[in-house]
Amino acid sequence: MKEKITDLAFFGGAPLFETPISTSNLVKPSLERFLNYSKVFYKNKKYTGRGELVVELEKRLCSFHETDYCVTFCSGFWALVGAIKNLALEGKSEVIMPSLTYRRLADVVSWAGLTPRFCEVDTKTLSISPKEVEKIINKETSLIIGVHPIVNCCDALGLEKISADYNIPLLFDTVESVYETYSGKKTGGFGDAECFSFHASKLINGFEGGYITTNDFSLYKKIMKFSCSDGNGHVGINGNLNEMHAAMALSGLDEINDNVAHNKKIYKLYSELFSKIRSVRVLEFDEKERTSYKNIVFELLPEWKIPRKKLIDILNKENILSRAYYYPPLHMKNARYKTIFGDLQKTEILSEKFILMPCGFFVKEEDVRKIYDLFLFIEKESSSLI
Ligand SMILES: *Cc1c(COP(=O)(O)O)cnc(C)c1O
């Protein structure tokens, strides 16, 4: 317990946690399960190039998301490039996407040879909305990327309507909403296609990897072709998922419900405890839908006096690896490629307000209690910490 301000690690005290606790999930499925799946590639002597485990994983993901098709990739990044390349309208140059989002998403669009046009976000969902998209659709719009935020979903049905009204393809980046439903329907089947990641920090840990789901057969064929270069003149990428990563992802998929049950316990405790601190709000999961309870995001309300950057420094010194939520927004970064944007005032204001807190597999209830006590202490001492 911290009693005086110099007990804070920021001022040289002992850190609250001996080993750092992370804002990433880092789920570790049972080793036995992973090794059991791994026997398949040992036996088959086929380690990559669409082996038995990759095929099984794609089948399992189709049933998990209730979609017709799934294609795995070596990363979420290349799954996104593959989807964009095969979906964007030919002869048009721009992709509408939010700026308050994943730090590499504009790079992905640029790799696909297109120009990001950043869209303002909705204040309530913190994500792209049909209203904001409609304002910036123009004759160069080749694709809309609906990115789900890290708590709950964006308005997928509203975006589908805009996409249909204007005849512009719609891709979802659903990396943060693997387990969610929207309006009662599982993610995976919205828009023309959806993209996911198996990066170790995500809900399903496949070390690295990604996949695309779709219900469109001709798109599926094109994406399959894109994912592997045949060396005979057809230009694809060498972007396959390997068997070992598929073994890890299959193990994670087997255990996903236990993982979510753990996340729910952690989220409930954060909500209960932090409801007693009036200057901080825990972003609420929409429990009318199915949800992963994975990410814990705090909003620092106007009553909270310590600047966010200082707070994050203080927490990091205690070995609590909190981070700012999607900061800086992409339009404020120095990109080496062209980007287009107008006034993004809401994005800029929102980008200053939120922090990510430790969550996922390795966070215990006892850790949440310690974090809560620390916040109480920091808040009490705010006047000397500003
Ligand atoms: C992590 C992430 C990606 C990229 O996935 P990788 O597998 O790491 O390439 C894309 N979009 C969002 C929203 C992400 O969080």
Side-chain angles (χ1 to χ4, degrees), residues 360-378:
F361 191 75
F362 285 106
V363 175
K364 302 187 290 291
E365 285 175 292
E366 175 199 329
D367 300 337
V368 179
R369 293 210 168 82
K370 278 163 77 175
I371 295 171
Y372 172 67
D373 288 339
L374 178 69
F375 264 76
L376 281 181
F377 177 77
I378 294 175

Side-chain angles (χ1 to χ4, degrees), residues 75-77 80 102 173 175-176 197 199 202 209 326:
S75 70
F77 188 105
L80 279 161
Y102 170 61
D173 176 330
V175 170
E176 294 293 354
S197 164
H199 185 270
K202 317 292 182 181
Y326 291 144

